[in-house]
Amino acid sequence: MDGYGFRSLEKCAECPIRHRAVCANCSPDEFSVLEALKSYKTYAKGEAIAWAEIEMTHLGSIVSGFATLQRTMEDGRSQIVGLLLPSDFIGSPGRATVAYNVVAATEVVVCRFQKPAFEALLERSPAMTHRLLKMTSNDLEAARDWMLVLGRKTARERVASFLLMLAKRTYEDDDGLAAATEATVSIPLSRAELGDYLGLTLETTSRQISQLKRDGVLELVGQRDIHIKDLARLMDETCDDTA
Amino acid sequence: MDGYGFRSLEKCAECPIRHRAVCANCSPDEFSVLEALKSYKTYAKGEAIAWAEIEMTHLGSIVSGFATLQRTMEDGRSQIVGLLLPSDFIGSPGRATVAYNVVAATEVVVCRFQKPAFEALLERSPAMTHRLLKMTSNDLEAARDWMLVLGRKTARERVASFLLMLAKRTYEDDDGLAAATEATVSIPLSRAELGDYLGLTLETTSRQISQLKRDGVLELVGQRDIHIKDLARLMDETCDDTA
DNA sequence: CGGCTGGTTGATCACTCTCAAGCGTGGTGG
DNA sequence: CCACCACGCTTGAGAGTGATCAACCAGCCG
């Protein structure tokens, strides 16, 4: 379907991620340049969007789907170092390669630009540069938050932290999470991937989810969807003060 | 000594971090604006440069010394989520607070700017914005690298990874590390802080250093300086492919 | 129906944490 | 001048959390 399913996206003005992506603050002039340069590509679940140490030819934004950033060791150990959701940016301008693999966790549609062209555009567009700085700085903040999880939290706290983060991201647009007492989230990762994100084995991850279920904090709806019965309780379980 | 010891720094052209800090690509015009706005402040070892959730009045660059970024939990657990070395930038423009404490690990001299003035300047200076984007993106890369250490590595591998990173940073200017077989590094952190950086207890950290010493990989020179006898061996110990 | 994949659960093991004692150095005061 | 204390570091013994290895279960598809 490589592109053909997305004719409606050819106009940036109708793009679903228009107000949150790197192009959020662009002027009409800039949008017309972007529209001329962009192309869409669809990746199947499990497919690599970029590979560590391999030069990237394109940069771009996730339009739909989830992707993971994963760093692996020779002996097979692997750590997911980031999740990409719609509107997140793929690649670092000015850097030829990234140190991790970008893998589609679901089917993913990317709005892509040739790297040199995009970098040239960035040189001339303060709006995009500032937006990208803001996004990068948010990612840095999130990465550092997650370092606390990986370095200091117990297995149960890690799972709780993950579910809470997912709930926040899921409901961030309606910002109803502050008031809500319940929430339902869909986990876009397998237990093995979840373990790689949490720095745990898949068995420990599964056990902690079961335990939280037994303790009445949540309910499983199928294997990928989780209904959080008591959000306040879950927040306690994360042992985290950041509201 | 608040400033008086640094009269020689009043001219940016003579600043020791001039070619690596956020101002690296500034034009002469921009430098004269920076010179008018900047002020120096010295922090004693252990003093807070910024505090989580407390609004920052200034942004700036480390001129000399080391600082740590640390995120703490209510129950006392703490994780160091970054090290700031000379030329590193403190604070995020556009964000009122940061989620971690910035603490001087040694005596630290900071070249500071009032936050609103600096942000206004950044709006008008593509050179600084691009430089800051580059630096932020490097920090993000480093944070993600460290996530692999925290999530997947053993205690011994963590210590080895830390020493190797320190050696790289120490020798990065002479870039002689590629050829070198030995190196001497000075650890700017106590064992407790080191543990907080590695996601270990101070006891485990100490034990692993002793073990590496017993195995002939390194020698202690005092308690803070470490002579790495076999760099290649140390790289093996990190179990990391990134050269 | 049988094999395959992803998830759960169980038993055991090992690594790291916890608690505790001991060591060395540097500073203070009698 | 030296005894004493404080602090940071090291080392030891035992406990606990999560990893490992393995069996089992459910859903899916051929």
Side-chain angles (χ1 to χ4, degrees):
Chain A
M1 58 194 279
D2 213 291
Y4 288 98
F6 298 93
R7 284 231 175 274
S8 63
L9 293 181
E10 277 169 20
K11 288 202 184 306
C12 287
E14 295 165 20
C15 178
I17 59 168
R18 185 223 168 293
H19 54 301
R20 288 196 296 155
V22 66
C23 50
N25 303 324
C26 283
S27 65
D29 280 1
E30 287 169 335
F31 270 120
S32 61
V33 177
L34 288 171
E35 274 177 1
L37 288 175
K38 75 181 182 179
S39 67
Y40 288 94
K41 182 161 178 183
T42 302
Y43 296 85
K45 176 174 174 164
E47 197 176 345
I49 299 173
W51 207 252
E53 318 305 337
I54 305 227
E55 195 144 345
M56 300 178 74
T57 58
H58 292 75
L59 301 169
S61 300
I62 304 260
V63 176
S64 68
F66 291 76
T68 60
L69 310 182
Q70 38 193 60
R71 198 130 168 24
T72 59
M73 293 167 67
E74 290 147 328
D75 60 13
R77 281 179 283 176
S78 152
Q79 175 69 44
I80 291 180
V81 298
L83 293 183
L84 296 183
L85 307 189
S87 84
D88 284 339
F89 191 76
I90 303 169
S92 288
R95 194 190 299 274
T97 62
V98 285
Y100 39 79
N101 307 331
V102 183
V103 181
T106 61
E107 181 175 280
V108 165
V109 177
V110 179
C111 171
R112 304 196 314 164
F113 303 89
Q114 305 246 3
K115 194 160 181 291
F118 186 84
E119 284 170 349
L121 188 55
L122 205 59
E123 281 299 320
R124 287 180 285 112
S125 167
M128 283 223 296
T129 310
H130 279 102
R131 178 73 192 141
L132 192 55
L133 175 58
K134 184 79 187 163
M135 291 171 74
T136 307
S137 143
N138 287 343
D139 287 350
L140 178 58
E141 185 91 359
R144 286 176 166 161
D145 280 352
W146 205 247
M147 284 172 69
L148 177 70
V149 173
L150 294 176
R152 289 302 182 199
K153 291 200 178 179
T154 65
R156 169 182 267 242
E157 290 164 355
R158 294 184 200 204
V159 171
S161 299
F162 174 78
L163 292 174
L164 192 60
M165 183 207 65
L166 211 56
K168 276 184 188 166
R169 281 204 173 182
T170 306
Y171 292 86
E172 70 186 349
D173 293 329
D174 2 337
D175 74 0
L177 199 58
T181 60
E182 309 195 1
T184 300
V185 297
S186 180
I187 302 182
L189 308 172
S190 71
R191 291 290 184 270
E193 290 168 318
L194 190 45
D196 281 347
Y197 192 46
L198 300 172
L200 300 169
T201 58
L202 66 96
E203 293 96 328
T204 302
T205 307
S206 172
R207 265 186 260 270
Q208 295 302 330
I209 292 174
S210 301
Q211 193 67 51
L212 285 168
K213 183 177 67 179
R214 230 166 294 140
D215 293 346
V217 182
L218 49 83
E219 274 167 356
L220 268 68
V221 186
Q223 277 167 337
R224 289 299 182 89
D225 294 301
I226 290 191
H227 177 69
I228 302 165
K229 289 160 69 180
D230 187 344
L231 262 170
R233 174 80 184 282
L234 189 70
M235 287 183 199
D236 283 350
E237 296 286 355
T238 66
C239 279
D240 214 324
D241 44 345
T242 50
Chain B
M1 60 192 278
D2 214 290
Y4 288 98
F6 298 92
R7 285 233 175 274
S8 64
L9 292 181
E10 278 169 17
K11 289 205 183 306
C12 287
E14 297 164 20
C15 179
I17 59 168
R18 186 221 167 293
H19 53 302
R20 288 196 295 155
V22 66
C23 49
N25 303 325
C26 284
S27 65
D29 280 2
E30 287 169 334
F31 270 120
S32 61
V33 177
L34 287 172
E35 275 178 0
L37 288 175
K38 76 180 181 179
S39 66
Y40 288 95
K41 182 161 178 184
T42 302
Y43 297 86
K45 176 174 172 162
E47 198 177 342
I49 300 174
W51 207 251
E53 318 303 340
I54 305 224
E55 195 145 344
M56 300 179 73
T57 58
H58 292 76
L59 302 169
S61 301
I62 304 262
V63 177
S64 68
F66 290 75
T68 60
L69 309 181
Q70 39 193 58
R71 197 126 169 26
T72 60
M73 294 168 67
E74 289 147 328
D75 60 13
R77 280 177 284 176
S78 153
Q79 175 70 43
I80 292 180
V81 298
L83 292 184
L84 296 184
L85 305 189
S87 84
D88 284 338
F89 191 77
I90 303 169
S92 287
R95 193 190 299 276
T97 63
V98 285
Y100 40 78
N101 307 331
V102 183
V103 181
T106 62
E107 181 174 281
V108 165
V109 177
V110 180
C111 172
R112 306 196 313 165
F113 302 89
Q114 304 247 2
K115 194 161 180 289
F118 186 85
E119 285 170 351
L121 188 55
L122 205 59
E123 282 297 322
R124 287 180 284 114
S125 167
M128 285 222 294
T129 309
H130 280 102
R131 178 72 192 141
L132 193 56
L133 175 57
K134 184 77 185 166
M135 291 171 73
T136 307
S137 144
N138 287 343
D139 287 351
L140 178 57
E141 186 90 358
R144 285 175 168 162
D145 280 352
W146 205 247
M147 285 172 68
L148 176 70
V149 173
L150 294 175
R152 287 302 181 199
K153 291 199 179 180
T154 66
R156 169 182 267 244
E157 289 164 356
R158 292 184 201 203
V159 171
S161 299
F162 174 78
L163 292 174
L164 191 61
M165 183 206 67
L166 212 55
K168 276 185 188 165
R169 280 202 173 184
T170 306
Y171 292 86
E172 70 185 350
D173 294 328
D174 359 338
D175 72 3
L177 199 58
T181 60
E182 309 196 0
T184 300
V185 298
S186 179
I187 303 182
L189 307 173
S190 70
R191 292 289 184 272
E193 290 168 319
L194 190 45
D196 281 347
Y197 192 45
L198 300 173
L200 300 169
T201 57
L202 66 96
E203 294 96 329
T204 302
T205 307
S206 172
R207 266 186 260 270
Q208 296 304 328
I209 291 175
S210 301
Q211 193 67 53
L212 285 168
K213 185 178 64 179
R214 229 168 293 141
D215 294 346
V217 183
L218 49 84
E219 272 167 357
L220 269 68
V221 186
Q223 277 168 337
R224 290 298 182 87
D225 294 302
I226 290 190
H227 176 71
I228 302 165
K229 289 160 68 180
D230 187 344
L231 262 169
R233 175 80 184 283
L234 189 70
M235 287 184 197
D236 283 352
E237 295 286 355
T238 66
C239 280
D240 214 323
D241 44 345
T242 50

